Amino acid sequence: MGKEITFVMIKPDGVRRGLVGEIISRFERKGFKIKALKMKWLTREEAERLYEEHKGKHFFEDLIKFVTSGPVVAMLLEGDSAVEVVRRMIGPTDGREAPPGTIRGDFALSKAENIIHASDSKEKVWKEASIFFTKDEIVGDY
Ligand code: CMP
């Protein structure tokens, strides 16, 4: 419980399909505060760092190609139990199984191209955020 920050990234398919506004709007309406926001085209090195834990898996190469295929939109969101609540709002990895009402459930029909990524633990938040943001790009309280 208590104020928590999580990292979220709208993947190239979400950006290409024009879903950036819809997705940010869902988080704002839920009550999360945007603490940092950036559009960026990841390099291969940055993408490999972001998905380090999946290195060696059969889908790793496709994942890196996909996530560097266009710009992504990254953000830091602040709110109560942010890590867990945001994960619940995005839904399970496979869009075909994600329940309606979740972001993947409403907009994705694939396991690989699943619109959005969010940190799955508090420990991962700063590791992932550091690929996109410096400390001075995170706003103070407002
Ligand atoms: P994400 O939540 O960003 O974390 C890892 C990503 O790898 C996942 O979303 C999917 O985009 C991708 N992924 C996970 N499992 C598979 C799979 N079996 N086949 C293809 N892509 C996958």
Side-chain angles (χ1 to χ4, degrees), residues 22 50 84 139:
E22 161 78 34
L50 181 66
E84 189 199 326
V139 300

Side-chain angles (χ1 to χ4, degrees), residues 15 17 21 53 58 62 70 73 81 98 110 112 114 121 124:
V15 174
R17 287 175 54 195
E53 63 175 315
H58 69 91
D62 286 344
V73 172
S81 307
S110 158
N114 60 1
S121 69
K124 295 243 189 80

Side-chain angles (χ1 to χ4, degrees), residues 7-139:
F7 170 79
V8 172
M9 180 186 81
I10 304 173
K11 297 182 183 183
D13 56 335
V15 174
R16 268 194 291 266
R17 287 175 54 195
L19 295 171
V20 172
E22 161 78 34
I23 291 169
I24 291 176
S25 179
R26 286 187 180 212
F27 292 128
E28 284 190 309
R29 282 182 291 162
K30 181 71 176 169
F32 287 112
K33 230 183 208 181
I34 301 169
K35 298 288 285 182
L37 184 63
K38 183 181 284 185
M39 184 173 233
K40 181 177 165 71
W41 200 318
L42 289 172
T43 64
R44 187 181 173 96
E45 289 68 34
E46 289 166 335
E48 286 190 1
R49 195 139 56 87
L50 181 66
Y51 283 120
E52 208 169 20
E53 63 175 315
H54 298 296
K55 213 164 191 167
K57 292 190 184 157
H58 69 91
F59 59 82
F60 186 72
E61 190 54 36
D62 286 344
L63 174 60
I64 298 302
K65 272 197 199 129
F66 164 55
V67 85
T68 57
S69 68
V72 299
V73 172
M75 68 200 89
L76 290 174
L77 298 175
E78 183 183 74
D80 234 23
S81 307
V83 173
E84 189 199 326
V85 174
V86 167
R87 291 283 291 187
R88 243 188 291 130
M89 286 175 74
I90 76 175
T93 306
D94 193 332
R96 293 164 297 191
E97 283 161 18
T102 65
I103 293 169
R104 287 165 173 164
D106 289 347
F107 302 116
L109 201 51
S110 158
K111 190 171 192 178
E113 304 205 0
N114 60 1
I115 306 284
I116 188 163
H117 165 86
S119 302
D120 62 9
S121 69
K122 280 197 239 181
E123 294 67 44
K124 295 243 189 80
V125 171
W126 297 110
K127 178 188 189 277
E128 297 177 348
S130 70
I131 295 166
F132 292 87
F133 302 110
T134 57
K135 280 252 156 64
D136 67 318
E137 288 174 315
I138 303 166
V139 300

